[in-house]
Amino acid sequence: MVRPGFRERVETLMRDQWREPVIVVRVREDGLGFDVPGRRLDGTVKGKRLVRRFFWNILRGLGGGVAYVFYFANGAGSGGGKLGSPFQRAISVTGPADAMALGLLDRLRPADGPWLAFSPSHVALVDTGSTQRDPADAPPPEIVWQACTPQALEVNLRRRKLTWPDGSSFTFPLHGRTEERHLRKYLEAPDIVHWNGRPE
């Protein structure tokens, strides 16, 4: 759930900082799949926190078993089941070892309320904290990462993809259909961005 008011706070912050029109979307921070040497599928660093990882794998196995029971109970194999594998992650992050994309991703994963803000010459990751609380009671939005375009990275909003000079990339998942509809208001095929909204 994203309460009204959070997007507007981020838009105001970034417009005041960049002095440019901005497009702000709430992104999903969970379930990201990594294909980067030295990182596990979930983005954690290989070879670290091995004891915690051992117990997490046991817990995940038990949870996966329970999920499969529900999966089969809901008609798996008969066309009625709608759940996928509990371990399935779509690959969102690719690149070489020490990929430039990891600078953004390592700040995205712990964020409670991550938003990506775009302008004609900048991209930023802003954390608002939980978006389920009343915005009036929330802490001020915090910029946790930002970069210039196109020098630091290339942005393709239609494909929802950020690409860095080293070839690493992040295909960002949006936080539901509300965000998809919001982003579509600014885009026109093939790759035209109307920074102030598409003309009616």
Side-chain angles (χ1 to χ4, degrees):
M1 177 179 166
V2 179
R3 290 198 175 193
F6 282 99
R7 185 191 318 276
E8 293 76 10
R9 294 178 80 192
V10 176
E11 286 173 342
T12 299
L13 172 68
M14 301 320 299
R15 265 198 305 265
D16 290 348
Q17 171 128 354
W18 293 336
R19 304 290 181 202
E20 293 182 319
V22 297
I23 299 171
V24 173
V25 290
R26 173 76 159 83
V27 292
R28 241 184 39 234
E29 70 279 16
D30 59 342
L32 299 177
F34 286 67
D35 184 10
V36 176
R39 296 290 178 123
R40 296 184 185 94
L41 183 60
D42 66 358
T44 55
V45 179
K46 287 182 179 176
K48 291 194 175 181
R49 299 180 177 163
L50 296 178
V51 173
R52 182 189 297 179
R53 197 83 197 147
F54 172 76
F55 288 108
W56 168 245
N57 285 336
I58 290 173
L59 253 159
R60 191 171 64 162
L62 292 172
V66 171
Y68 271 118
V69 169
F70 284 111
Y71 177 65
F72 287 115
N74 283 310
S78 65
K82 295 185 179 176
L83 297 175
S85 165
F87 305 116
Q88 190 173 14
R89 286 177 184 263
I91 299 298
S92 302
V93 187
T94 61
D98 299 321
M100 295 174 77
L102 296 174
L104 165 61
L105 272 300
D106 286 341
R107 288 174 177 84
L108 171 65
R109 290 174 59 242
D112 290 324
W115 299 79
L116 281 175
F118 303 93
S119 79
S121 61
H122 294 84
V123 179
L125 174 66
V126 180
D127 189 4
T128 59
S130 173
T131 54
Q132 296 181 15
R133 68 172 74 178
D134 187 332
D137 299 329
E142 178 187 3
I143 301 168
V144 294
W145 176 91
Q146 65 178 315
C148 296
T149 61
Q151 295 86 2
L153 75 164
E154 179 187 325
V155 175
N156 186 317
L157 285 176
R158 186 179 60 80
R159 294 176 60 205
R160 299 194 301 241
K161 187 172 185 178
L162 308 180
T163 306
W164 280 259
D166 66 350
S168 60
S169 67
F170 171 42
T171 304
F172 56 91
L174 296 177
H175 192 272
R177 294 183 184 218
T178 301
E179 298 307 311
E180 291 172 9
R181 284 194 298 270
H182 180 75
L183 185 56
R184 276 200 302 267
K185 293 192 302 190
Y186 297 90
L187 305 180
E188 182 181 339
D191 286 312
I192 300 168
V193 179
H194 297 281
W195 290 101
N196 293 304
R198 236 177 3 193
E200 295 290 331

